[in-house]
Amino acid sequence: MARFLQWRKGFPGLLWSICQRESRLEVFTRWRGAGFDAPQLLKNAAFRKQAVMEQDYPLLVEFWDMIHAGRPAAAIFRLKYDDGRTPLILQGWPEPEQDVYSGFLKEAFLPGGYNSACYNAQLQMRVGDADYPVFTVNMNEQKLCDANRAAQMLFEGEEQEGRELALDAVVPQSLLKGFVAALEKAVERDAWSGKLLLGNAERGLFSAHARLTVWGEPGKEVVRVALVNVDAKPMKIEDEGALSLCTGELRPALEKLYMLCNHAIDGLMLSHIQMGSGRVAVYGVGPVFEGLEWGTLHAYEGTIAQDIERYSLSSLIVEDTQDSVKSIDWALFAPLGVRSYFAKPFYAEHGLHAVLILVSKRQRAFGADAETLYADVSAAFSQIMLRWRNP
């Protein structure tokens, strides 16, 4: 153990682990002289987007897919700050029988430096060995490029294995417009998550929770479609305007709910899940949310709702947003001074409908008893959701 600690102390990079259910990063080394904020690169998706060379950024998006899938992964990429002169390698692996993913970040020493051959080799990760269906679509030609075995089996069946998968075997012509709209949103935002209706004459229609990410240069985009979860039967995709009928009643209802907390928290938020557009709309009351625009939209990717669905959680507690790896914590909560929160999901017939979020400016403000402590608030919130679904 002493030798390991000595080795760790002298490691020329960052040793890290992520507790997946809590989306919490822990670092075990200090990377002095890195030239950039290495922990922030792992925690903050917006920071990664800003710091990493555009053509390498999809590799890190793919790396995070592999984290969520519990697969070993590696990516070599370059940073803008030194014009890509020092490539970095990010490598990770799941811990056996634990909810932990560990890895390291350090300089990548490559013969001949970072070149197109190295980059092209990494593009083979596009469909990878994931056990869920993955395929890619050429945006310009609206043509399916490649697909992994899970996608072949889902759409064609075992008897057709080995046959090239076509786009019309994945999405019928009648649904192509909505499918292409989701692809375009992925190109616009670098990533898109939400529900898609897919299928063909043999397979029939079904809904799936999809994650779309972009590859390639501007104007030559290829979108990677990962069907993270396929529903057992087609699910209705909720009308995005369903909640607009009574939003005038919402603020006083949420303020009354906030008062029920007896000022033990600094704010209360409703996150309305809009799977059809891959977004969430947020409505906040309380001092910490005074300057927040009512109904602000955020991408579903990297949200509390996504983690709740991914791990089938009955509730979620984040002890410190400064250690979080969720995009929403850095885009919304941290800038407002929120340091911890408790989130409780609410479901409708189509799936996850909304999330109640209680926030605090203090670290670790919510303990294991939060569900019991705020049971009356959750019950009152549930009644608001019932009225909203049935105006």
Side-chain angles (χ1 to χ4, degrees):
M1 178 61 74
R3 290 180 64 185
F4 170 74
L5 292 175
Q6 185 178 10
W7 174 83
R8 189 176 76 176
K9 186 177 180 180
F11 184 79
L14 203 67
L15 293 172
W16 54 269
S17 71
I18 292 174
C19 179
Q20 299 209 70
R21 286 176 180 266
E22 298 175 12
S23 293
R24 176 171 49 82
L25 175 74
E26 185 174 0
V27 295
F28 304 102
T29 57
R30 292 184 180 181
W31 189 2
R32 294 183 174 88
F36 66 101
D37 190 335
Q40 193 74 350
L41 187 80
L42 294 173
K43 290 190 287 189
N44 189 342
F47 182 86
R48 286 195 292 275
K49 176 65 175 173
Q50 185 178 28
V52 176
M53 289 240 174
E54 285 85 354
Q55 57 267 52
D56 297 356
Y57 179 72
L59 300 171
L60 293 194
V61 175
E62 175 72 14
F63 187 90
W64 256 257
D65 264 2
M66 293 296 102
I67 290 179
H68 298 317
R71 297 276 185 172
I76 297 173
F77 60 97
R78 297 161 295 171
L79 298 178
K80 295 175 183 176
Y81 88 94
D82 68 347
D83 296 322
R85 288 190 296 270
T86 308
L88 303 177
I89 181 170
L90 182 62
Q91 188 164 347
W93 52 87
E95 297 288 346
E97 300 180 9
Q98 295 187 51
D99 184 35
V100 174
Y101 195 95
S102 301
F104 64 81
L105 173 65
K106 63 185 288 293
E107 287 186 20
F109 298 99
L110 303 171
Y114 188 100
N115 54 39
S116 59
C118 174
Y119 178 74
N120 290 336
Q122 292 188 83
L123 292 185
Q124 298 307 310
M125 292 172 66
R126 285 196 307 205
V127 296
D129 66 345
D131 53 8
Y132 48 82
V134 180
F135 57 91
T136 61
V137 179
N138 183 303
M139 281 292 291
N140 289 337
E141 301 175 12
Q142 290 193 12
K143 178 181 177 183
L144 195 145
C145 301
D146 48 13
N148 68 356
R149 187 173 185 275
Q152 293 276 355
M153 293 291 290
L154 176 65
F155 292 103
E156 297 281 19
E158 195 167 356
E159 64 278 2
Q160 300 291 338
E161 189 176 357
R163 195 177 85 172
E164 185 176 344
L165 191 63
L167 188 58
D168 59 5
V170 170
V171 54
Q173 189 66 35
S174 61
L175 298 175
L176 187 60
K177 183 178 178 181
F179 179 74
V180 170
L183 298 179
E184 290 172 346
K185 288 172 184 173
V187 172
E188 177 188 342
R189 307 173 194 165
D190 299 313
W192 181 92
S193 288
K195 289 273 180 138
L196 291 177
L197 275 175
L198 303 169
N200 54 44
E202 290 77 21
R203 174 68 168 78
L205 291 181
F206 63 91
S207 51
H209 194 114
R211 186 177 191 279
L212 281 54
T213 47
V214 184
W215 295 82
E217 301 172 7
K220 299 179 181 179
E221 289 93 352
V222 171
V223 178
R224 176 186 185 270
V225 182
L227 305 184
V228 181
N229 186 47
V230 177
D231 296 321
K233 60 181 181 179
M235 302 289 287
K236 178 186 175 185
I237 298 175
E238 185 187 25
D239 176 11
E240 295 171 18
L243 301 191
S244 63
L245 294 172
C246 54
T247 49
E249 303 172 23
L250 183 60
R251 188 183 291 275
L254 292 183
E255 287 176 345
K256 185 176 179 181
L257 214 56
Y258 173 68
M259 296 300 292
L260 197 59
C261 299
N262 295 319
H263 302 288
I265 59 174
D266 294 301
L268 179 148
M269 174 173 281
L270 158 67
S271 175
H272 169 227
I273 317 306
Q274 301 178 358
M275 281 299 183
S277 64
R279 293 199 172 195
V280 301
V282 297
Y283 306 86
V285 295
V288 77
F289 295 130
E290 282 180 357
L292 182 67
E293 183 181 351
W294 194 249
T296 299
L297 291 170
H298 290 272
Y300 173 84
E301 180 69 22
T303 59
I304 297 167
Q306 186 183 43
D307 270 8
I308 284 173
E309 286 210 306
R310 180 180 289 139
Y311 301 114
S312 302
L313 304 178
S314 61
S315 63
L316 173 67
I317 291 175
V318 165
E319 295 182 339
D320 192 345
T321 57
Q322 297 298 310
D323 295 329
S324 177
V325 295
K326 284 201 298 299
S327 303
I328 196 70
D329 291 346
W330 292 97
L332 174 60
F333 295 122
L336 294 176
V338 172
R339 293 298 297 270
S340 62
Y341 57 78
F342 164 73
K344 178 74 177 173
F346 292 82
Y347 294 86
E349 62 279 357
H350 64 273
L352 184 61
H353 178 65
V355 180
L356 167 67
I357 307 164
L358 309 181
V359 309
S360 174
K361 290 185 175 182
R362 296 181 291 112
Q363 302 175 47
R364 301 174 181 83
F366 304 93
D369 62 345
E371 283 208 56
T372 303
L373 191 61
Y374 294 103
D376 54 343
V377 179
S378 297
F381 183 82
S382 180
Q383 291 303 308
I384 294 173
M385 291 300 96
L386 284 173
R387 292 204 308 272
W388 224 349
R389 290 204 305 272
N390 302 289

